[in-house]
């Protein structure tokens, strides 16, 4: 049986009643705690014996998952060794500098050598370095189409969609509810572009480029009268021609984690 690295695969087998008897607010939070090794399956009194057996010994807790991501990085590096970076540079919207591939991410140069080592003046996070190498290996070179789609409409995204909302869209909406000017600040910090907010009738629309041909659009709707605020993250429809869905998820959620850190420093 396949291993489980995604909390949603646990969530699917839970009762989904959000009763909180496990001392967590809901079943999704419980799933996330199990994958981090903070809760055991037996902490949910309503998980059926049958489903517990289905999950038993298949869950890779987060530390192991991080190691698995490290292995992904090593596998990608091995593949980079067989790619002619100079030939692929143009296709990727990148350039060669002193024998290394220079790729712009959020306005900053990241350099990749022939062995797949990533360097930059900025800190290189795993949430970015894995998609960056994956982009070099998998990108078709297709230019953005200009058609924006939510994460759930990308190929293979549906099982990860609840987690994308929980770890990406909800935390960012909360951040902007507290500080709606944050998106404007991010525009300057990460060389973003103001997008045409008539597109989705949003109050703020901002495009960032974590990879040259993989733009991400953030739209925020301010609260109005009885209406709560809202936030959506969109990807260009061509994103799946550049990256596997795990890397697209990693870029979206990784960016939000970084915004949270920046907002924390500003308060
Ligand atoms: S006890 Fe079980 S059913 Fe209740 S919220 Fe926790 S995980 Fe969900």
């Amino acid at each position: 049986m396949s291993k489980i690295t995604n909390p949603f695969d646990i969530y699917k087998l839970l009762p989904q009643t959000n009763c909180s008897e496990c001392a967590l607010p809901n079943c999704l939070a419980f799933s996330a705690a199990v994958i981090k090794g903070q809760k055991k399956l037996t902490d949910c009194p309503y998980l059926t014996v049958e489903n517990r057996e289905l999950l038993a010994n298949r869950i890779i807790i987060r530390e192991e998952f991080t190691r698995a991501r490290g292995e992904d990085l090593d596998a990608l590096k091995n593949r980079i060794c067989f790619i002619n970076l100079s030939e692929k540079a143009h296709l990727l919207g990148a350039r060669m500098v002193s024998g290394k591939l220079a790729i712009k991410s959020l306005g900053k140069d990241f350099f990749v050598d022939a062995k797949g080592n990533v360097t930059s003046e900025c800190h290189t996070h795993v949430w970015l370095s894995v998609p960056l190498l994956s982009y070099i290996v998998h990108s078709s070179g297709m230019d953005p189409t200009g058609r924006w789609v939510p994460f759930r409409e990308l190929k293979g995204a549906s099982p990860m969609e609840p987690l994308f909302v929980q770890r990406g869209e909800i935390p960012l909406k909360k951040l902007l509810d507290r500080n709606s000017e944050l998106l404007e600040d991010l525009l300057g910090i990460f060389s973003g572009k103001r997008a045409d907010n008539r597109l989705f009738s949003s109050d703020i629309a901002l495009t960032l480029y974590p990879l040259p041909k993989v733009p991400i659009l953030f739209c925020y709707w301010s609260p109005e009268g009885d209406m709560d605020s809202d936030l959506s993250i969109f990807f260009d429809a061509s994103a799946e021609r550049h990256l596997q869905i795990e890397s697209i998820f990693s870029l979206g959620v990784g960016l939000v984690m970084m915004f949270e850190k920046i907002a924390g420093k500003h308060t």
Side-chain angles (χ1 to χ4, degrees), residues 69 105-106 123-132 190 210 216 246-259 261:
R69 290 292 301 269
S105 172
L106 303 169
H123 183 63
T124 49
H125 301 271
V126 175
W127 67 260
L128 176 61
S129 47
V130 169
L132 192 104
F190 297 122
I216 302 184
E246 291 81 4
S247 281
I248 297 173
F249 176 96
S250 180
L251 281 183
V253 171
L255 276 171
V256 173
M257 283 170 7
M258 192 168 65
F259 298 164
K261 276 193 187 161

Side-chain angles (χ1 to χ4, degrees), residues 14-28 30-31 43-47:
L14 292 175
Q16 300 177 19
T17 54
N18 302 326
C19 70
S20 290
E21 283 194 38
C22 55
L24 288 172
N26 50 50
C27 298
L28 200 52
F30 178 80
S31 314
D43 292 332
C44 171
Y46 303 109
L47 178 63

Side-chain angles (χ1 to χ4, degrees), residues 123-166:
H123 183 63
T124 49
H125 301 271
V126 175
W127 67 260
L128 176 61
S129 47
V130 169
L132 192 104
L133 295 187
S134 183
Y135 178 67
I136 298 169
V137 170
H138 299 291
S139 175
S140 65
M142 184 177 176
D143 288 328
T145 60
R147 188 168 75 82
W148 296 106
V149 296
F151 181 76
R152 65 177 175 276
E153 286 186 22
L154 294 169
K155 200 167 130 196
S158 50
M160 301 170 86
E161 160 70 6
L163 201 59
F164 185 79
V165 171
Q166 196 202 33

Side-chain angles (χ1 to χ4, degrees), residues 3-122:
K3 292 287 179 194
I4 291 175
T5 57
N6 182 338
F8 193 64
D9 289 334
I10 301 171
Y11 175 77
K12 283 188 287 194
L13 296 177
L14 292 175
Q16 300 177 19
T17 54
N18 302 326
C19 70
S20 290
E21 283 194 38
C22 55
L24 288 172
N26 50 50
C27 298
L28 200 52
F30 178 80
S31 314
V34 170
I35 213 103
K36 287 181 196 161
Q38 295 164 347
K39 286 276 180 191
K40 294 189 191 118
L41 292 172
T42 47
D43 292 332
C44 171
Y46 303 109
L47 178 63
T48 63
V49 174
E50 193 182 33
N51 283 350
R52 194 181 307 143
E53 280 172 4
L54 273 175
L55 292 167
N57 303 323
R58 292 174 57 210
I59 298 169
I60 300 182
I61 63 167
R62 180 179 281 243
E63 281 164 30
E64 292 167 349
F65 180 55
T66 306
R67 234 178 288 137
R69 290 292 301 269
E71 283 162 16
D72 287 346
L73 197 61
D74 289 341
L76 285 165
K77 281 182 175 182
N78 286 337
R79 292 187 67 178
I80 299 274
C81 294
F82 296 98
I83 292 175
N84 185 326
L85 296 179
S86 324
E87 276 179 11
K88 210 162 179 188
H90 179 68
L91 204 64
L92 299 170
R95 65 195 198 286
M96 294 302 291
V97 176
S98 306
K100 293 180 182 174
L101 187 71
I103 301 186
K104 283 255 185 260
S105 172
L106 303 169
K108 313 277 186 311
D109 275 328
F110 284 75
F111 300 95
V112 182
D113 70 15
K115 292 181 177 170
N117 297 310
V118 182
T119 51
S120 165
E121 283 179 7
C122 316

